[in-house]
């Protein structure tokens, strides 16, 4: 079993839809949870960062962490074609170390 | 957020030659930097952790004599691919954690290496 599981998709939605991206994990030591967005042939860009359980909102993006279920989510409201990218979840047990990535979900938002 | 740069962004080299990739933290000092490799449509694979002033820690299966890492200062880490072969062609990305931050890592834009 992989430490971090993420459905690679691809996921295609119409513009304006609510997008739900998810990851599950097996290592209960993970404390830091991140979502990155990666455009083709570019480095990942940090979107959301959460420590431990809870919700975090930033504009159209909401990150949720449920440590009891070992499940994290990223919601994108009012999705735009510019949101089309690969979204990677990442998590680590310690600050700035041992980060593990999900496989990434390829998202396409159609106009 | 913190800014990490990489140079070059794209390099083509002949088989058997060596290529050096630079990773710089532009607005913060990074005691630790990370080097990843990414194949098309696949996720990031951690190659090694680069620590300023000490030897890098390599992940299992990564040849340390082939992928030389030097972290000579708090803002610069280099990855040298020695005696490159076509199978080394990949997208190499570095990242760094901002010690003044809360645990997140910031990634460089990546370097695309093509070995002919």
């Amino acid at each position: 079993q992989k430490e971090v599981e993420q459905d690679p998709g691809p996921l295609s939605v119409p513009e304006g839809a609510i997008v739900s991206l998810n990851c599950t994990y097996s290592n209960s030591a993970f404390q830091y949870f991140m979502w990155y967005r990666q455009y083709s042939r570019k480095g990942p860009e940090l979107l959301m960062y959460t420590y431990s359980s809870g919700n975090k909102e930033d504009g159209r993006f909401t990150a949720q962490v449920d440590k009891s279920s070992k499940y994290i989510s990223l919601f994108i409201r009012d999705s735009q074609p510019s949101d089309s990218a690969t979204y990677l979840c990442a998590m680590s047990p310690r600050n700035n170390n041992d980060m593990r990535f999900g496989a990434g979900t390829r998202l396409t938002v159609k106009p | 957020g913190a800014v990490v740069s990489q140079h070059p962004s794209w390099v083509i080299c002949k088989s058997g030659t060596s290529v050096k990739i630079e990773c710089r933290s532009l607005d913060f000092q990074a005691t630790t930097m990370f080097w990843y490799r990414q194949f098309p449509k696949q996720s990031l694979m951690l190659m090694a952790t680069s620590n300023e002033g000490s030897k890098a820690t390599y992940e299992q299966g990564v040849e340390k004599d082939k992928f030389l890492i030097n972290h000579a200062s708090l803002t610069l880490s280099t990855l040298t691919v020695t005696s490159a072969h076509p199978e080394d062609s990949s997208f190499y990305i570095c990242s760094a954690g901002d010690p003044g931050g809360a645990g997140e890592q910031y990634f460089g834009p990546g370097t695309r290496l093509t070995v002919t």
Side-chain angles (χ1 to χ4, degrees):
Chain A
Q1 182 187 10
K2 292 182 181 179
E3 275 191 297
V4 181
E5 298 275 3
Q6 182 177 11
D7 186 342
L11 178 63
S12 181
V13 301
E15 183 176 356
I18 297 174
V19 177
S20 173
L21 304 168
N22 310 293
C23 289
T24 59
Y25 62 95
S26 58
N27 188 346
S28 58
F30 289 141
Q31 298 283 345
Y32 299 86
F33 303 91
M34 289 138 283
W35 285 95
Y36 288 87
R37 177 175 62 195
Q38 186 177 25
Y39 292 112
S40 180
R41 302 192 176 195
K42 300 291 184 182
E45 170 195 8
L46 180 66
L47 273 180
M48 300 288 287
Y49 166 84
T50 309
Y51 172 70
S52 194
S53 286
N55 295 353
K56 188 172 184 178
E57 187 174 322
D58 184 1
R60 296 184 296 112
F61 298 90
T62 300
Q64 290 184 350
V65 175
D66 182 350
K67 291 188 69 179
S68 63
S69 301
K70 297 188 178 65
Y71 187 88
I72 70 170
S73 301
L74 177 70
F75 297 96
I76 306 174
R77 292 184 298 279
D78 188 25
S79 56
Q80 302 295 310
S82 58
D83 295 328
S84 299
T86 296
Y87 290 80
L88 298 151
C89 65
M91 47 199 79
S92 65
R94 291 181 298 277
N95 193 4
N96 284 332
N97 274 305
D98 292 340
M99 184 178 288
R100 302 301 177 194
F101 287 85
T105 299
R106 294 186 66 193
L107 171 68
T108 300
V109 181
K110 296 184 176 180
Chain B
V3 180
V4 176
S5 70
Q6 270 183 255
H7 179 79
S9 58
W10 191 16
V11 57
I12 301 174
C13 71
K14 292 185 177 181
S15 186
T17 62
S18 295
V19 174
K20 179 185 285 188
I21 302 170
E22 293 186 348
C23 177
R24 295 182 184 272
S25 55
L26 298 184
D27 51 2
F28 66 99
Q29 293 183 329
T31 55
T32 302
M33 291 185 173
F34 305 88
W35 287 96
Y36 295 85
R37 184 173 181 175
Q38 187 177 37
F39 291 105
K41 298 185 180 181
Q42 294 189 24
S43 191
L44 298 164
M45 183 189 77
L46 179 65
M47 298 175 66
T49 301
S50 169
N51 300 295
E52 188 269 337
S54 65
K55 292 183 179 180
T57 303
Y58 290 82
E59 294 296 300
Q60 189 175 7
V62 178
E63 298 176 60
K64 61 181 180 180
D65 294 331
K66 180 169 186 61
F67 299 99
L68 300 179
I69 292 173
N70 184 282
H71 194 156
S73 76
L74 288 172
T75 60
L76 173 64
S77 176
T78 60
L79 168 67
T80 301
V81 182
T82 63
S83 187
H85 290 283
E87 57 264 32
D88 298 324
S89 299
S90 187
F91 194 50
Y92 293 86
I93 312 175
C94 71
S95 74
D98 183 353
E104 64 274 35
Q105 287 188 21
Y106 295 93
F107 285 83
T111 297
R112 183 161 302 280
L113 170 64
T114 301
V115 184
T116 60

